[in-house]
Amino acid sequence: MSQWSRRTQTVLWVAAVAISVAPDTAGWVTSLFSSSSGSYLYGSGISIGSCEGFEQWTMHIALQPWYRRLIDMPYLIVIPAFLIWMVTRWRAVGWVAAGTLGPVMACELVLLGYDVARSDGACADLWLSPFIGMQITGWTYGLAPVLLILASTYRPGRRAIRTVAATTVITLILGVAGDMPRPRTVLATPDDCRQAIRAPQIDLEALRSEVGNLSAHQRRLAFICSSRAFPGGHFVPGGSPSDAVLLNVGRRACQGDEQPPDRELARLGVRSPSLDQLVYLCPEKVIPQLRKLEQERAQRDAEYRREQAKAKAYCKRNLPKGPRPVRQVTELGHGGESGSYFIGTGDDGPSFDKVIDDGLIAAVGGTVTVLTGTEGNLCLTVRVYRKAPPLTLKGWEKVVEVGFDSPDGKTTVGSYSGETDLPPLTASGPGPYRLRLHVRGHGAPEAFFPEMPAEHHLIVVYPGKSKKRKDHK
């Protein structure tokens, strides 16, 4: 078998080593003199559902740690092989090194050829975007150490050398020429998103019209932007994962194809797209689903309102009668996660700390906090008077009275779980007031619809200067 001289073989091996370490060496030197900046990943707008090679490379091969390590650091194979060859001069070392590194470096080219052959070239843009020359140059550069090792191991004829050299030069020239017109990317800047996504449409017909007025490119833009949390949120144009990966996941969802496992998607930094995002890619499929969900939501809301009205009527029927107040309102209260509600317009922190020790009610300054026995619904009625009403104990398990101040005369009932519809409790304007709390069912099990609330609270408020607590029952 024809071979080069040892000197020529050594030169070829040294060239292979130099080429394999050059990118990392250049990056290290550059990092010494410049600050790091985030990279920008472009994505192609080509549908990759039919580009099986690209899909396998993106979803599986490119995620393998050993693959990325060899692609980024081929010298992990080249340098040890060179050192072993220098000691032994065995040609087998070159064959093993080329056989190990070659398939890794040629993997993308082989899959590109597979996709192009199956799709009549439709997948080429996906593989080669955004810069054809840069992509081809990268692949050629990655194969160079493999070719040099092979050349040092087996001396090719002049015709083979000329063929390889000519192919390499022509490939690089065509690659550079291919970069002259910049390929159209899916997503460039947040401004693209502002053009593609308008204000959210609540009405489905308006949404259908809005999406219908977008071009195919704008719809892809809108999907990418919504997937990247635009407007607001952590919007990273061209971030990882690439636009092409997001589009692939979206189109697979539109087609009803089985998605990769959640673990795989998580490794890619992708979440399964929502219907609000998919509406841009396949509105004809998604809008009927959104309409169905809207109808189901309307039915649930109507059922909820009926249950609320039924529970409120139950609360009113089971409320003991009393003297005619200035105002009386019955609502469904909520203990919420804190298991409490408060009366007042100031800071409820001190009274909340105090009520934890008391177990039912505590007043500090202008705020009164009440602990509930449930985190769910309870019957809550307020009665507002301009003078002290007669004391009513019948029908209640506990009756406790405290004093509080209302600096603005607009004291209301508040809750950590949300606002209440109860009116102001201070009928005589600013000044001191007394609050009488009536409670029953405080220790009852929590009730859920369609069960009626088991806990009942009646709050009676009237003007009074005393701040002394009274436990009537």
Side-chain angles (χ1 to χ4, degrees):
M1 183 179 291
S2 178
Q3 280 189 282
W4 299 101
S5 66
R6 287 193 174 183
R7 180 179 178 181
T8 303
Q9 287 179 308
T10 302
V11 170
L12 292 172
W13 269 104
V14 171
V17 171
I19 290 175
S20 68
V21 302
D24 272 9
T25 303
W28 177 75
V29 172
T30 302
S31 68
L32 296 178
F33 301 98
S34 63
S35 59
S36 61
S37 60
S39 61
Y40 185 88
L41 301 179
Y42 290 85
S44 170
I46 301 298
S47 172
I48 65 179
S50 60
C51 301
E52 186 175 341
F54 184 83
E55 185 174 351
Q56 290 298 320
W57 180 79
T58 302
M59 294 290 190
H60 301 287
I61 298 174
L63 298 178
Q64 301 303 317
W66 61 266
Y67 176 83
R68 295 309 318 169
R69 189 170 293 274
L70 290 181
I71 286 288
D72 297 335
M73 296 180 287
Y75 51 81
L76 294 177
I77 298 292
V78 177
I79 293 178
F82 172 59
L83 296 176
I84 295 173
W85 179 84
M86 287 289 293
V87 174
T88 64
R89 300 291 178 172
W90 292 344
R91 281 189 294 178
V93 176
W95 291 116
V96 171
T100 302
L101 196 59
V104 175
M105 294 302 177
C107 177
E108 293 181 55
L109 283 171
V110 172
L111 293 175
L112 166 62
Y114 175 78
D115 278 346
V116 170
R118 292 180 69 249
S119 63
D120 297 327
C123 294
D125 186 49
L126 188 62
W127 279 99
L128 300 175
S129 291
F131 300 110
I132 298 176
M134 184 182 298
Q135 196 69 267
I136 293 177
T137 301
W139 288 331
T140 305
Y141 192 91
L143 284 171
V146 178
L147 296 175
L148 289 170
I149 293 173
L150 287 175
S152 71
T153 304
Y154 168 69
R155 180 177 180 176
R158 291 184 177 180
R159 181 175 298 178
I161 294 175
R162 292 171 180 172
T163 301
V164 171
T167 302
T168 301
V169 172
I170 293 173
T171 299
L172 293 176
I173 292 175
L174 291 177
V176 173
D179 277 344
M180 297 305 291
R182 181 173 176 174
R184 187 182 190 187
T185 60
V186 173
L187 179 60
T189 69
D191 289 335
D192 291 337
C193 291
R194 296 187 183 95
Q195 296 173 9
I197 299 182
R198 277 74 171 181
Q201 299 288 341
I202 298 177
D203 181 71
L204 288 179
E205 293 305 320
L207 177 62
R208 180 195 292 273
S209 175
E210 181 75 18
V211 174
N213 291 331
L214 298 177
S215 67
H217 180 67
Q218 287 176 320
R219 284 165 54 186
R220 289 195 297 269
L221 272 177
F223 174 76
I224 293 294
C225 294
S226 61
S227 297
R228 297 194 187 281
F230 183 89
H234 301 83
F235 175 74
V236 184
S240 180
S242 69
D243 299 339
V245 171
L246 291 174
L247 284 171
N248 182 46
V249 172
R251 288 195 175 94
R252 289 174 67 99
C254 284
Q255 295 167 6
D257 295 342
E258 182 179 357
Q259 293 281 14
D262 290 341
R263 180 180 177 184
E264 189 99 1
L265 290 176
R267 291 174 62 186
L268 287 170
V270 181
R271 293 181 180 178
S272 295
S274 66
L275 291 178
D276 290 336
Q277 296 165 356
L278 290 175
V279 71
Y280 295 107
L281 288 185
C282 45
E284 68 285 349
K285 293 184 178 181
V286 172
I287 288 182
Q289 296 183 54
L290 289 175
R291 181 175 290 108
K292 182 179 179 181
L293 290 176
E294 187 178 69
Q295 293 171 350
E296 293 175 351
R297 188 184 303 112
Q299 293 174 356
R300 289 195 301 270
D301 291 345
E303 179 64 23
Y304 175 77
R305 288 192 295 270
R306 287 193 295 269
E307 291 173 344
Q308 291 283 97
K310 184 178 179 181
K312 189 182 297 186
Y314 165 82
C315 292
K316 290 180 179 180
R317 288 196 306 269
N318 288 270
L319 178 66
K321 294 182 179 181
R324 183 179 181 85
V326 175
R327 286 190 294 269
Q328 174 175 310
V329 178
T330 298
E331 291 289 344
L332 288 179
H334 304 275
E337 294 184 2
S338 67
S340 67
Y341 61 90
F342 57 90
I343 297 94
T345 56
D347 182 11
D348 63 315
S351 64
F352 184 82
D353 294 338
K354 189 175 179 181
V355 80
I356 296 298
D357 297 328
D358 181 85
L360 180 60
I361 186 171
V364 176
T367 305
V368 181
T369 300
V370 179
L371 286 185
T372 65
T374 177
E375 293 183 1
N377 290 334
L378 63 124
C379 296
L380 178 59
T381 300
V382 296
R383 288 175 178 167
V384 179
Y385 295 89
R386 285 196 172 90
K387 62 179 182 179
L391 181 63
T392 302
L393 302 179
K394 185 178 179 179
W396 301 103
E397 297 169 0
K398 295 181 180 180
V399 179
V400 182
E401 193 169 322
V402 296
F404 71 96
D405 293 317
S406 179
D408 58 1
K410 298 179 181 179
T411 298
T412 58
V413 177
S415 172
Y416 291 107
S417 59
E419 297 181 355
T420 66
D421 295 327
L422 297 170
L425 309 182
T426 46
S428 299
Y433 285 84
R434 298 289 289 173
L435 184 149
R436 191 181 298 161
L437 175 66
H438 307 69
V439 177
R440 70 170 179 266
H442 193 265
E446 188 167 336
F448 299 93
F449 287 124
E451 298 175 350
M452 294 296 104
E455 186 170 355
H456 298 253
H457 288 203
L458 169 63
I459 297 176
V460 172
V461 179
Y462 61 92
K465 296 181 179 181
S466 174
K467 296 296 187 293
K468 184 178 179 181
R469 174 187 174 118
K470 292 184 180 180
D471 291 275
H472 297 292
K473 186 175 181 179

